Amino acid sequence: MSDLLTNVTLICLILLGACMLLLLYRVIIGPSNPDRAVALDTIGVIIIAMSGLLAILTETTYFNDIILLVGILTFIGTVALAKFLEKGVIIERDRN
Amino acid sequence: MLHLVIFIPFLFALIIPLLRTKLSNIHLGWFVLAVPVLLFTYFISFLEKMIQGEKIHSTLNWIPSLDINFVFVIDGLSMLFSLLITGIGSLVVLYSIFYLNKKENLGHFYFYLLLFMGAMLGVVLSDNIFVLYMFWEFTSISSFLLIGFWFHREKSRYGALKSMLITVFGGLALFASFLLMSITTGSTSIREIILNSEAIINSNYFVLILILFLLGAFTKSAQFPFHTWLPDAMEAPTPVSAYLHSATMVKAGIYLVARFFLVFQGEQLFAIIVSVFGIVTLAWGSFMAVRQTDLKGILAFSTISQLGMIMAMLGFGAGYENKVAIVAAVFHIFNHATFKGSLFMVAGIIDHETGTRDIRRLGGLYTFMPITATLAFFGTFSMAGFPLPVFNGFLSKEMFFKAAILDNVLDISILIPILAVIGSIFTFVYSMILFFKPFTGKENMLDRQPHEAPIGLLVSPAILVSFIIIIGLLPNIISEPILAPAVSAINGEIPLINIHFWHGFTNIPIWMSFTVVVIGTLLFRYRDKWTPFYNVFPGRWSAANVYDYLVNNTFTFAKSVTSFFMTGSIRNYLSIILGFLIGTLAVTIYITDGFAVSYDDLAPITWPVAFTGITMVFASIATIFMKNRIAAILVLGVVGYGLSILFVFFKAPDLALTQLIIETVTVALFLLCFYHLPDLTKTKESLSRKTLNIVISLSAGFIVTIIAIASHSFKKFDAISEYFIETSVSLGGGHNIVNVILVDMRGLDTLFEITVLGIAALAIISMIKLRKKEEVDS
């Protein structure tokens, strides 16, 4: 692997880490819960990106599972949160 | 044969329920009577051998590996006690036949009584200290049952519990002493311990052994200040009081001191403690007896005082080469059993025939109950030590005075004869009250017309009274067969016993006796003038009040201690647990000097990892300050995601996968719960409480960090992971080492983790589904 690629990957990772810190600011400060939910969703995306970069850096394919899984989970998590914030429950019971 | 004899009472006790149901029209006591009579004749047959100084041994293995066996030995001392137990036992059973109505629960009564008889025989015949201790506790338990015989009465239960607590307390002390004795001498046999008494006396534990031993003896024999259970034990049926609480059980402590006399013989400490406690018990018991208004109450305190007198004589005999003291002690053990037994029976007769035992309500019974009055006359005057040759009590009291004059031992020892005389004066006073108050004067305040007791009730006390007279007249007839072997068993010497009534006017004891009679008569005559003194002394400082205070305050103290930390608040328990954890860990690290920092073997920190770590730290701190549940769980979600990306950084893809799923599921579960939870309210806490929480959490985190650093810096061995890396494919057949470890190399752990999840799932289902109907409806 060329030095250039390594350096670029590292710089990307650092930038992503800085992004995560900024997103944390949004998660903590809010001000509203939907703000936090979106920020958390974005953290999930950052994890996807980081995993991909790490896979390049360590020259492995084992992290690809994680990329797929985080994709699904952040989606499910965000949908669940959105539903909770909207209706107050996640699983509605059909009482009829 | 001897074994069978000791176990006969127990065996007979077992068939009592059978007799009771099959032969219910005959009083159960008649069958039971056979047991003590048989045993008594059996023991009498040994008298001949006793005179020749023989001993009878008998061994039955029980736990040979621990050297605990049923070894029974009859010598003079055991013989005296066995005769008392079986002889008075026979009389008491005979008396109880007429005393107890057939409507009473006779099966229980005789069962307990036989249990007690067997246990008491076991105590006096055992040579093995642990077997002795077993029988000792048996007597405590059977006494507890007998005192509480009328268990529907509040006072019976109180008395039974009190005697149980005090005697078992002493019994346990005795057990500890026995353990120390057997450790220091390497033997469990009393005879061998006596031979090895040097080992006990020279051991470092000598004082402890002695004090624990005497605690056992003093509690059982109702010595000051442990005497307080005996008056309350008077709630037992009168035959029980006559048997246990005058003649046999309360003398078990005396027996014990006499039995181990040879071990402690030369020790000043033993002699001083035993004589001082004995003489104080004598004085205190007789002083308190005058205050009582209940016939049995007087007799109870009188028993205490007489036991103190016997104990004191054993003490005199121990340290001061005082030969007469031991003879006097043995003689008085015998005499006391005769007159106290008869007096209890007389008290029972009065109770039975008049319906009360209160001396303030009794009077002038002489005309109605002449025989009882005569019996009481001999009993009380013998107890008082009235100088006439028909009273055996006088003879032993005279010997007691002689023994109490200790020549030139200590300056303070002049107090001992003074206390002895004071005690005897009060003994004289209460004996006179006991006789003159119920039987003379005017009859008053009785619900029914009193009349003479049936002949059956009178037989037993009459036999005992005849002993008083016979021994009073001819004291030497028991000296050779009974007294001499007993004395030689106590101090190992064969004494020459010749008991005279008259020693001449040059004798100091006779003047002491005259003093007792004169002052006693005066005090009795003018007792109304000075008895109010009892309100001042002891006032509320009597031992019974002290006992009540102790027992009640133990309860309140225990309660306050428990309620101090058992607050029911999980927050407090967690503080205690964490505080304890921090304390022990910190102290251990400090003591073992276990902290170490090593900078070798550390991985380099990259900027992405640092950013992730900082994010997680901020997120965790922020979680604490969140004001909204959902916000808190979302911030916590950042920590979870951060952790998963750290797993990726450190090349653990499986962990990262699992962590992500778990994190998401947890968030979802939290959201499920939040619907049912109220809004997060700010808990109002005091500043000190808050500070404590902060201190505890900070120090917990600090300690764990310290330990983590120390354990990382302290690697003694190579990790075994090399093995897994090498053999994952060849042995496990898989390239994913983590999975191979989980399902192949350490598969058992996985199995139980699966079980845990299964149980958790089932528990959740049952928590949700299985609710009480009301809860579901509401």
Side-chain angles (χ1 to χ4, degrees), chain B residues 608-682:
Chain B
V609 176
F611 272 125
T612 320
I614 291 167
T615 313
M616 285 169 75
V617 168
F618 277 124
S620 347
I621 294 172
T623 312
I624 306 169
F625 297 102
M626 286 290 119
K627 292 187 170 56
N628 176 307
R629 281 184 202 279
I630 297 194
I633 199 66
L634 289 179
V635 178
L636 203 61
V638 176
V639 181
Y641 279 146
L643 188 63
S644 68
I645 197 68
L646 275 187
F647 282 139
V648 177
F649 275 119
F650 295 121
K651 304 187 187 69
D654 291 301
L655 284 183
L657 285 175
T658 320
Q659 167 65 27
L660 278 168
I661 297 171
I662 296 296
E663 183 60 37
T664 314
V665 171
T666 315
V667 171
L669 281 178
F670 274 125
L671 292 178
L672 276 177
C673 307
F674 286 170
Y675 174 69
H676 300 280
L677 290 180
D679 281 338
L680 197 61
T681 47
K682 198 81 186 155

Side-chain angles (χ1 to χ4, degrees), chain B residues 203-277:
Chain B
S203 82
N204 298 330
Y205 304 116
F206 171 71
V207 177
L208 192 63
I209 292 176
L210 179 67
I211 287 172
L212 289 172
F213 171 80
L214 288 179
L215 257 182
F218 284 178
T219 48
K220 197 76 159 183
S221 276
Q223 299 295 299
F224 185 86
F226 309 110
H227 62 272
T228 174
W229 66 268
L230 188 59
D232 285 300
M234 290 303 127
E235 293 302 320
T238 304
V240 172
S241 308
Y243 188 37
L244 274 70
H245 306 124
S246 72
T248 53
M249 187 178 92
V250 289
K251 292 207 175 97
I254 307 270
Y255 167 79
L256 204 67
V257 173
R259 177 53 80 207
F260 284 85
F261 189 81
L262 281 176
V263 176
F264 301 114
Q265 195 173 18
E267 288 304 306
Q268 282 291 317
L269 190 64
F270 172 73
I272 290 170
I273 294 178
V274 174
S275 357
V276 167
F277 273 89

Side-chain angles (χ1 to χ4, degrees), chain B residues 223-432:
Chain B
Q223 299 295 299
F224 185 86
F226 309 110
H227 62 272
T228 174
W229 66 268
L230 188 59
D232 285 300
M234 290 303 127
E235 293 302 320
T238 304
V240 172
S241 308
Y243 188 37
L244 274 70
H245 306 124
S246 72
T248 53
M249 187 178 92
V250 289
K251 292 207 175 97
I254 307 270
Y255 167 79
L256 204 67
V257 173
R259 177 53 80 207
F260 284 85
F261 189 81
L262 281 176
V263 176
F264 301 114
Q265 195 173 18
E267 288 304 306
Q268 282 291 317
L269 190 64
F270 172 73
I272 290 170
I273 294 178
V274 174
S275 357
V276 167
F277 273 89
I279 207 86
V280 168
T281 310
L282 163 68
W284 184 255
S286 54
F287 174 70
M288 291 295 284
V290 181
R291 185 194 192 187
Q292 308 301 315
T293 53
D294 176 26
L295 282 178
K296 280 173 84 174
I298 299 176
L299 288 172
F301 276 102
S302 142
T303 305
I304 291 165
S305 118
Q306 305 277 323
L307 290 169
M309 176 173 157
I310 299 169
M311 198 62 98
M313 288 192 273
L314 287 173
F316 300 155
Y320 315 111
E321 298 292 314
N322 204 332
K323 300 262 166 43
V324 71
I326 301 296
V327 180
V330 172
F331 192 32
H332 200 72
I333 289 172
F334 190 90
N335 291 344
H336 177 248
T338 57
F339 64 70
K340 192 54 60 70
S342 67
L343 281 176
F344 266 109
M345 291 174 186
V346 164
I349 291 172
I350 294 174
D351 188 15
H352 206 258
E353 302 307 328
T354 63
T356 181
R357 297 194 312 247
D358 193 331
I359 53 169
R360 288 167 301 192
R361 295 177 61 199
L362 293 167
L365 290 177
Y366 185 79
T367 43
F368 302 102
M369 308 166 84
I371 304 174
T372 314
T374 317
L375 297 176
F377 171 77
F378 282 105
T380 48
F381 277 71
S382 176
M383 180 159 76
F386 199 78
L388 270 183
V390 289
F391 302 121
N392 59 0
F394 169 70
L395 301 171
S396 42
K397 181 151 288 184
E398 187 96 320
M399 290 166 83
F400 166 63
F401 283 146
K402 194 171 168 203
I405 303 166
L406 309 162
D407 296 323
N408 309 324
V409 182
L410 287 168
D411 290 339
I412 204 161
S413 64
I414 184 68
L415 275 176
I416 286 189
I418 291 176
L419 272 174
V421 170
I422 291 174
S424 304
I425 289 170
F426 283 109
T427 306
F428 190 87
V429 174
Y430 72 70
S431 303
M432 292 307 109

Side-chain angles (χ1 to χ4, degrees), chain B residues 21 105 107 133 193 201 293 295 374-375 420 440 492 546 607 654 709:
Chain B
T21 45
N105 203 337
Y133 171 72
I193 287 172
I201 287 166
T293 53
L295 282 178
T374 317
L375 297 176
T440 61
V546 172
W607 278 106
D654 291 301
I709 292 173

Side-chain angles (χ1 to χ4, degrees), chain B residues 530-550:
Chain B
W530 60 274
T531 36
F533 178 66
Y534 279 105
N535 296 328
V536 185
F537 182 78
R540 57 198 188 84
W541 288 104
S542 70
N545 288 346
V546 172
Y547 166 87
D548 288 338
Y549 178 83
L550 277 180

